[in-house]
Amino acid sequence: MGVMLKVDGIHVYYGSIHAVKGVSFEVGEGEIVTLIGANGAGKSTVLNTVSGLLHPRTGSVCFMDQDLRGVPPHKVVERGLAQVPEGRRIFLQMTVEENLEMGAYTQPKSSVAPGVADVYKRFPRLEERRSQVAGTLSGGEQQMLAMGRALMSRPRLLMLDEPSMGLAPLLVEQIFEIIRELHAAGTTILLVEQNAQAALSVADRAYVLETGRVSLSGTGAELMASDQVRRAYLGG
Amino acid sequence: MMTFLTYLVSGVSLGSVYAIIALGYTMVYGIAKMLNFAHGDVIMVGAYISFCTTSYLHLPAWLSVVFAVAVCTALGVVIEGLAYKPLRQAGSLAVLITAIGVSYFLQNAAQLIWTSNTKVFTSVVGLPSVRLFGGRLTITGETIVTVLACLLIMAGLTFFTGGTKLGKAMRACSEDKAAAQLMGINVNATISMTFAIGSALAAVAGVLLCSSYNTLIPTAGAMPGIKAFTAAVFGGIGSIPGALLGGLLLGIIEIFASAYLSSELSLAIVFGVLIVVLLVKPSGLLGRYVPEKV
């Protein structure tokens, strides 16, 4: 099993604020890896650095053995790395189908229609609402659209930032079921979550982020059993 | 009745020019979230380019329009790249001041190149006037071409933003730049393209405006620019149909106000209407109120 994504000692700043202080982790091909941690621990900052929206002051990000230094975000997508951003960030004034088309922006025209069909097969609700403006969707539907949109670029690695945020428990379960299915279908996944319970239950391996540093790492089961994690993130 | 129709026709004609200029303002605002106050001066540059190609190079009128469009498109891309792009992360006030600076730069550069003497601009429109109602209503060729150009541009932009990949990418960028980047859209290139389109439209507007009014000075673009900006805000800044509606209404109101009320006060009336509209509907006639995300 090869290493797909290797993040090595990155330090990321917002102006003078030192948000990520030397984070290192790896995602192997075919794995689900999760980064858990409290609000403000630097999880989204790490994902946005991998996506190229932010730049590390030191440290490196390697994807498929290639350094991503200086690669602009729109080129990162072309290499097979897609992100479902925090808060979904779908295009609210565009239709469901137009959102999916934007997801396939880097793809040849011939693969757009089959991609859309695949997404509709996975998320039948989106097909019912294909010509509706995305802003009229419910929170759960918006999350499905955000995931479907990211899948349109046929990513090798799918990064999900807080997919369960703001969703009812039943929907959270549904979203995690979809994550399992995507993984079973061969997609490598990097999942950022505050919902540690749900995240650890699907993850092969996990890293705990605390104030910009990795404080703990191990398999999903190990961390689920760890006292430190139970106290801090699992409510006892 | 005939005078009323005559005024209405000139209002629609003037309004069509405002609409074409307002489209540039509104598209650039939509994507770059900045008011490009130099937009009006690009109109003036377009008119001078057309003037030079016909008067000095003796090229045919249609070719002069092509030249004007080409030069202004390039100018728009250069202005964006040199003046605005370095300020992408800067505050909106810095960008606004820069835009005003670019505006003065263009006006003064034009004065250096072409002097401040008024140039007599020969209309590029060869179409004869149309006389209706036994000659009591005259519609000039310029009016016909202007209105047709405006409709054509509107139709073209509607198709572009709704039916093409690049146009949709432009809408995606204007909604959420970071998300657009995560889709693989090159945001900088998209912004450049928007400036190119807006500036090309400004060139068309400049040629049409000067064809109707026949005079050209280095500050010729400033006032139409401000009025078109008003039209864009009036219709709802960021909205393409809003720019058309705002432009047409503004042109009609301006002509009616100066014909029936007072030509001195016509501008005050135009801006008065704007203030009332913004008091009642702050997002403009067709604008959407988009709450700031927290």
Side-chain angles (χ1 to χ4, degrees), chain A residues 74-92:
Chain A
H74 62 272
K75 294 281 181 196
V76 170
V77 184
E78 276 174 31
R79 295 182 182 212
L81 225 164
Q83 188 194 146
V84 180
E86 184 178 1
R88 327 192 217 295
R89 305 280 284 269
I90 55 172
F91 303 113
L92 297 171

Side-chain angles (χ1 to χ4, degrees), chain B residues 266-284:
Chain B
S266 72
L267 277 185
I269 293 164
V270 164
F271 291 113
V273 172
L274 172 77
I275 292 169
V276 172
V277 168
L278 290 185
L279 279 176
V280 179
K281 200 166 181 301
S283 52

Side-chain angles (χ1 to χ4, degrees), chain B residues 143-189:
Chain B
T143 297
I144 296 168
V145 170
T146 304
V147 174
L148 281 181
C150 177
L151 292 176
L152 209 66
I153 287 168
M154 261 312 284
L157 280 182
T158 307
F159 171 74
F160 177 69
T161 55
T164 67
K165 188 174 168 180
L166 275 178
K168 288 179 193 178
M170 201 174 90
R171 283 161 59 210
C173 287
S174 65
E175 245 195 82
D176 188 333
K177 281 188 197 59
Q181 283 180 296
L182 291 177
M183 301 300 107
I185 297 169
N186 184 341
V187 169
N188 280 330

